[in-house]
Amino acid sequence: FVYMVSAGIYFLIKEERAFESYLITLWTGFFLSMLFISIFPTGQELRPESFTRENPAIWAVKQIYAFDTNTNVFPSMHVVGALTVGVSVFKSRSLKKNCWVQAVSAISCVLIVLATVFLKQHSILDVFGGIVFYIAAHFIALGIIKMLDKTARTDKKINT
C-alpha cells in the first residue's frame, strides 16, 4: 500500500497527467479483477497448516495470512497494483532522469510480485493473470484518456 499511495501522492502533486493515467489504470485493473472474482471466485491451499518454530518472521507471516486470506487470488491484484506503479514511474516525465527512483521502483515492483508467491498468497498462475489484467487495464485506460482528451478539446471549441 505504501508503494501505491506514495506514487499516487507524488503524481498528484507533481504531474497531473501521470496522476490521471495512474488512477484510471489502477481503478480499471482493480475493477476488472474484482468483476472476474465476483463471477469466478477462486481460492487455493498453498499455505502450511502449522509452523515448526516460532520467531519474529513466522509471527509476521501469520499476521499477513490473517489479514490477507487465500481466497479470490486469481488474478493477483498485488501484481496489478505493483505493475501500475512500476510502469507509471517508468513513464513519468518528471522521474525519467531520476535513475535512482526508477531503480528503486523497479526493484520494489519485482519484490512485491515475488513476495506474494514466496509468502504463498499467490501461485505463479495468479501472477500471470495479474499481468494480463494489468495489460488490459493499461490499454482500456489509454482509450479512456484519449476519449477524455477529445471531450476536453471539443468543450474548448464550444466555449470559445
Side-chain angles (χ1 to χ4, degrees):
F1 293 122
V2 172
Y3 188 50
M4 288 190 304
V5 170
S6 59
I9 291 170
Y10 176 83
F11 291 135
L12 176 64
I13 294 169
K14 296 284 188 180
E15 203 172 335
E16 181 181 338
R17 183 77 169 172
F19 179 71
E20 290 172 355
S21 176
Y22 170 74
L23 275 188
I24 292 170
T25 304
L26 190 65
W27 290 344
T28 302
F30 285 171
F31 175 77
L32 292 174
S33 299
M34 292 299 292
L35 182 63
F36 184 85
I37 63 176
S38 295
I39 297 168
F40 305 104
T42 59
Q44 59 194 358
E45 297 298 328
L46 298 173
R47 298 172 177 182
E49 290 184 24
S50 63
F51 295 91
T52 57
R53 56 191 111 128
E54 289 292 325
N55 59 46
I58 297 294
W59 177 86
V61 169
K62 286 180 179 179
Q63 299 307 307
I64 291 169
Y65 285 179
F67 177 75
D68 197 358
T69 66
N70 58 347
T71 56
N72 297 323
V73 294
F74 182 91
S76 170
M77 287 191 277
H78 294 101
V79 171
V80 172
L83 285 174
T84 301
V85 176
V87 172
S88 296
V89 168
F90 182 76
K91 289 174 36 180
S92 168
R93 288 184 181 162
S94 63
L95 295 173
K96 275 214 188 287
K97 293 181 182 176
N98 194 330
C99 296
W100 176 249
V101 171
Q102 298 267 330
V104 168
S105 178
I107 291 167
S108 297
C109 181
V110 169
L111 289 177
I112 288 167
V113 172
L114 291 176
T116 63
V117 174
F118 291 135
L119 285 171
K120 301 184 190 251
Q121 291 173 289
H122 293 287
S123 72
I124 196 69
L125 293 175
D126 304 330
V127 170
F128 287 132
I131 292 168
V132 169
F133 274 69
Y134 165 75
I135 291 168
H138 179 77
F139 284 109
I140 290 169
L142 288 175
I144 291 170
I145 291 166
K146 284 181 183 178
M147 183 180 65
L148 291 173
D149 285 347
K150 185 177 179 181
T151 303
R153 284 193 308 272
T154 303
D155 288 348
K156 262 187 182 177
K157 287 180 184 177
I158 292 171
N159 291 334
T160 53

